[in-house]
Amino acid sequence: VAAVTGSIEGRPRERQNSGPEAVSEPTPADPATRRAADIDETRRASQAWWDANADDYQREHGRFLGNDRWIWGPEGLDEAQEGLLGSVTGQRILEVGCGAAAGSHWLRRAGAWPVGIDISHRQLQHSRRLDEVVPVVVGDAERLPFADASFDGAAAAYGALPFVADAAAVMAEVARVLRPGSRWVFSVSHPIRWCFPDDPSAAGLTVNRSYFDRRAYVEQDADGRATYVEHHRTVRDWVRLVLGAGFTVVDVVEPEWPDDQREVWGGWSPLRGRALPGTLILVCQL
Ligand SMILES: C[S@@+](CC[C@H](N)C(=O)[O-])C[C@H]1O[C@@H](n2cnc3c(N)ncnc32)[C@H](O)[C@@H]1O
């Protein structure tokens, strides 16, 4: 579930007014900004960031995510209760951007045949914590290393999609590896969150940028090379992406924040959860 540190909070630092002697000095790039980031830059940043931060991510969120339950987002919506994937028994299901593959472990226990894919080798190593091992593959969701029509369903809980420049390629690849009639269910940060500061307190309840600003949130090093990238799409963008790949939209889910969910996850908190949707789930069918 979305980035631990600095997901969409990228408010660029104010530059100090430098004197004339500073003119020839190279100006360090803003550590966090909104700008375009192409496929290669995004892929490089995602792989490096998730490998470097997998241990912290699992330390911070592993308990909430559990070892073998499918949680759709910080609200704690649980697939065992929601059944968004439909009946999974005996189904071959691809978990896209699976991280530690808690969802795949749950699917296996529910009688499915899951396979997880993730760009981060270190994230996948965390899937080896449990006795029962599920098959996982290091790979990019934009170029799935699977045969056509080799799965009966696919799902992603904040997996891969927020972190790719070419979401249309992911949709096309998922459609390619699914059998006709299969479900494709995925969650992402609710797009409305992108016009608010990524702050769990009341400061995160005041709009500070346009919802329609599609530039990516980019953290970068002093030379301007991206170290972390998240891409923003509006609700309509997501719907058009799935329709464009040949899916129909069966349901749109905006989980409400439950009264007994007190855990803060980055910018997701009970305070904001009561006022704003935090997660968007699209239930699609091929
Ligand atoms: C927020 S985590 C979600 C993981 C898991 N579903 C969870 O809830 O913990 C996003 C995952 O997407 C993976 N990811 C990022 N870009 C990817 C890509 N292009 N292809 C496959 N996985 C990717 C990351 O490595 C990370 O494990």
Side-chain angles (χ1 to χ4, degrees), residues 1-2 50 57 65 97-99 118-120 123 139-141 157-158 160 163-164:
V1 183
W50 284 99
Y57 178 83
L65 291 168
C98 63
D118 200 286
I119 202 168
S120 162
Q123 280 279 75
D140 183 358
Y158 282 74
F163 309 101
V164 298

Side-chain angles (χ1 to χ4, degrees), residues 135-220:
V136 293
V137 179
V138 179
D140 183 358
E142 292 161 311
R143 305 180 289 200
L144 292 175
F146 305 109
D148 296 359
S150 49
F151 291 96
D152 308 305
Y158 282 74
L161 284 167
F163 309 101
V164 298
D166 192 355
V170 178
M171 300 297 173
E173 279 292 88
V174 171
R176 180 183 65 74
V177 303
L178 288 178
R179 202 179 42 74
S182 303
R183 283 221 170 167
W184 164 222
V185 186
F186 63 88
S187 62
V188 293
S189 338
H190 199 291
I192 195 68
R193 291 282 172 123
W194 279 73
C195 54
F196 294 88
D198 192 32
D199 184 324
S201 74
L205 292 173
T206 304
V207 170
N208 72 342
R209 63 173 64 86
S210 169
Y211 171 75
F212 300 104
D213 178 357
R214 263 76 158 201
R215 288 174 303 165
Y217 168 75
V218 179
E219 291 173 11
Q220 51 192 7

Side-chain angles (χ1 to χ4, degrees), residues 1-4 42-43 46-47 49-51 54 57-58 61 65 70-73 95-103 117-121 123-124 139-144 156-165 170 228 265:
V1 183
V4 199
T42 300
R43 186 181 294 134
S46 289
Q47 185 165 27
W49 193 94
W50 284 99
D51 274 341
Y57 178 83
Q58 297 300 337
H61 301 298
L65 291 168
W70 188 296
I71 298 297
W72 286 108
E95 183 178 7
V96 178
C98 63
I117 184 165
D118 200 286
I119 202 168
S120 162
H121 182 254
Q123 280 279 75
L124 293 179
D140 183 358
E142 292 161 311
R143 305 180 289 200
L144 292 175
Y158 282 74
L161 284 167
F163 309 101
V164 298
V170 178
Y228 176 89
W265 181 315

